[in-house]
Amino acid sequence: MPEKRLAVGLLAHVDAGKTTLTEGLLYRAGCLRRLGRVDHRDAFLDNEVLERERGITIFSKTARLVLPGAEIALLDTPGHVDFAAEAERVLQVLDYAVLVVSAADGVQGHTLTLWRLLARYGVPVFVFVNKMDLPGPGRAALLEALRARLGEGCIDFTALAGPEAGGPEDPAGRAAAYEALALCEEGAMEELLEGGSLGDETVRRLVAGRRAFPCYFGSALRLEGLEPLLEGLGRFTRMPAYGPEFAARVYKISRDKQGARLSWIKVTGGTLRVRAVLEGEDKTGPWREKADALRLYSGEKFTLLNEAPAGTVCAVAGLGHTWPGQGLGAAETAAAPLLRPVMAYQLLLPEGCDAHAALERLGQLEEEDPSLQIAWDPARQTIRLQLMGQVQLEVLGRLIADRFGLAVGFGPGQVLYTETIAQPVVGMGHFEPLRHYAEVQLLLEPGERGSGLRFASRCSEDALDGSWQRQILEALAGKEHRGVLAGAPLTDVKMTLLAGKAHLKHTEGGDFRQAACRAVRQGLMQARAAGQCLLLEPWMAFRVELPAAGVGRAMLEIQRMGGEAGAPEPLPAAGGEGPMALLAGAAPAAALQEFAAALAGFTGGRGRLSCAPAASRPCGGAAADAACAGYDPERDTDNPADSVFCSHGAGVLVRWDEAPARMHLPPAGAPP
């Protein structure tokens, strides 16, 4: 049995060489006999036809990396921004991550997006600077750039590698690394001053606590610099402490070549045994099923397990109701992903195709990627879905054709708005039909752009038992809350439980779910009445590389679409075709769809646009009026703001603006 089992993800901006690095690590560790290449379309993990045709990773994959004393589930994730939601789902189960940065391109916009996500999920990070064989800045300049963009904790670990890993005899470099590490923590500084170096356990603590981020440099294509990284993954990591009670997190749903549904999980407590009965809940209600088989995958091949101890990443066959982010056993359900699609499209079916039959079949795709939100639109009598961008659109069309034999098209894209609030507000919800009881008070506060929904409690357990409080917070986290301007998803709000009340005899868990969600909605209605609700539209950070002669036209196009850009920067000429320039900035996501086509036109195909999600911004004017038209929050029966009180033995509905006067708890506090 290995000393430690770890889940390590590889993440990068597209074209940084992440899949090539994965291939190289497996080869150098002796897990592959033959080295494949992305450009040769024979990479070990890019085994889907679509991936080999396009030369990009589309679906997350798992490989088994065996090191001395450690067994690592290596999770390769998509690098293209259109598939960033797939990468974010993987982050929920990682113990460590390797962030790959191209030495030629530096820290890109999507690199920063991934860095922020890693911080959000608290994942310790190793950095591998790839493509050091290409012309570009030296190691010192690259390290300085990493520290400027990612933080002072980025430290060159090359000199710490042992001789067996090809580490250099560099006492000065080793001393510099220890000094940089000592600056990360007072205790480490004391250890260095006393002993002149740091123990590996101290370094492991700093890395696990995200105080230090080991940096390595090399060329994955030339297999250079991989041994120090492999040694670092084995030497400077530690296995989390797991409890004895079974717990696991689902992070992915897929189907094998025979069509069997697979639930990919990481076991985070106890042991999962084959044929064990698992329980959970989905949108149809509670379920109870057996784990028919446990598969330990490496690429396309797998071995069957009798049991999966804590730390294992495996695929479970036999479960038909699981969903990405779901907690099994003692594990909690994950918070909703931060990255969301920015556009909605109408699905155009072939003539004569039954839309409802197609919708049922397409449900498989939504199981695998919940962000698609495939649904029937009764107003337009068509199927609609949500996507990140053009590449995902093209891939999805091909996937539908290959899997279901349907040659589909897509209508014009429409912006997916979100909503938030501008000022704090206290929301109240009461749910008391006959033989039920719950009351909840929540403080809703605006959060930073891009922070999503966050949940906390300031309620004393003397006032409300901790088990009820956990049910309230889980109910809030498990629902997609809708705003009251256009019915768009709510985001960038912190919800804090201030007070709650239960009945000794009549309260059930579902009662608090009802009361909590009504409290959210009641608070939003108050904010709307005060003019403190905001409609947000998605923005993207962009980088445009184009011939210098086209900069003026590009600036005009960016200005026309309401975007913003910094001063152009010169780039080295490409292939003797004249000087090139770089424009970086941000713009509304919808406008960038049109800009991509215009760029190709006025640069003769030489312009290159790369985008990454940026913080949404308030939307006003005609666009906001059009988005909000036709939505009446008081007629949204799926998201009620009114409370239910008991009167003369029956439940009575009380309007949201009248309910506070009838609440049983005194107000827990006004917004600051």
Side-chain angles (χ1 to χ4, degrees), residues 103-151:
D105 299 329
V107 175
Q108 301 276 294
H110 189 48
T111 313
L112 291 173
T113 298
L114 294 170
W115 185 257
R116 287 191 289 268
L117 287 172
L118 289 163
R120 181 181 192 241
Y121 290 101
V123 180
V125 183
F126 289 71
V127 179
F128 184 78
V129 181
N130 194 23
K131 303 186 180 182
M132 290 294 291
D133 54 318
L134 299 179
R139 178 178 299 190
L142 287 166
L143 184 63
E144 193 62 32
L146 289 175
R147 287 175 173 167
R149 303 296 299 278
L150 305 181

Side-chain angles (χ1 to χ4, degrees), residues 10-11 48 51 57-62 75-94 110 114 117 121 251-254 264 324 337-341 365-372 388 392 399:
L10 281 93
L11 302 101
E48 299 283 347
E51 295 176 317
T57 302
I58 297 172
F59 310 101
S60 62
K61 303 288 187 359
T62 305
L75 280 67
D76 188 21
T77 65
H80 197 285
V81 64
D82 279 17
F83 306 103
E86 173 91 356
E88 184 179 2
R89 285 190 287 273
V90 173
L91 296 188
Q92 299 172 353
V93 298
L94 294 184
H110 189 48
L114 294 170
L117 287 172
Y121 290 101
Y251 71 92
K252 175 182 171 180
I253 303 295
S254 70
W264 295 77
L338 196 59
L339 296 181
R340 295 174 175 268
L365 300 179
E366 188 179 354
E367 283 186 346
E368 296 165 18
D369 183 357
S371 67
L372 290 175
M388 285 293 290
Q392 189 184 13
L399 191 61

Side-chain angles (χ1 to χ4, degrees), residues 611-657:
C611 300
S616 297
R617 302 192 188 186
C619 174
D625 293 340
C628 298
Y631 180 73
D632 183 352
E634 299 199 47
R635 297 173 68 90
D636 188 344
T637 55
D638 292 331
N639 298 282
D642 302 333
S643 283
V644 179
F645 288 83
C646 187
S647 178
H648 304 292
V652 176
L653 205 61
V654 178
R655 272 179 54 90
W656 64 270
D657 52 346

Side-chain angles (χ1 to χ4, degrees), residues 340 386 415-420 453 480-491 521 524 534-538 627-628 631 633 636 639:
R340 295 174 175 268
Q386 301 178 2
V415 178
L416 284 172
Y417 296 97
T418 53
E419 297 185 36
T420 190
L453 297 180
E480 182 175 69
H481 301 276
R482 296 277 170 173
V484 293
L485 293 176
L490 186 69
T491 189
R521 196 72 173 177
L524 294 177
L534 298 176
L535 187 70
L536 304 176
E537 66 175 329
C628 298
Y631 180 73
D636 188 344
N639 298 282

Side-chain angles (χ1 to χ4, degrees), residues 206-268:
L206 295 174
V207 173
R210 288 181 48 86
R211 293 175 178 270
F213 305 100
C215 297
Y216 298 88
F217 301 80
S219 169
L221 187 61
R222 296 179 180 272
L223 299 178
E224 296 172 354
L226 305 192
E227 286 83 356
L229 175 59
L230 283 169
E231 187 207 47
L233 290 174
R235 179 180 168 192
F236 298 124
T237 56
R238 60 186 183 188
M239 186 172 172
Y242 295 116
E245 186 178 1
F246 168 70
R249 169 77 51 78
V250 181
Y251 71 92
K252 175 182 171 180
I253 303 295
S254 70
R255 282 168 173 79
D256 65 14
K257 292 184 177 180
Q258 286 70 45
R261 187 180 191 271
L262 300 177
S263 302
W264 295 77
I265 68 168
K266 180 189 174 187
V267 182
T268 57

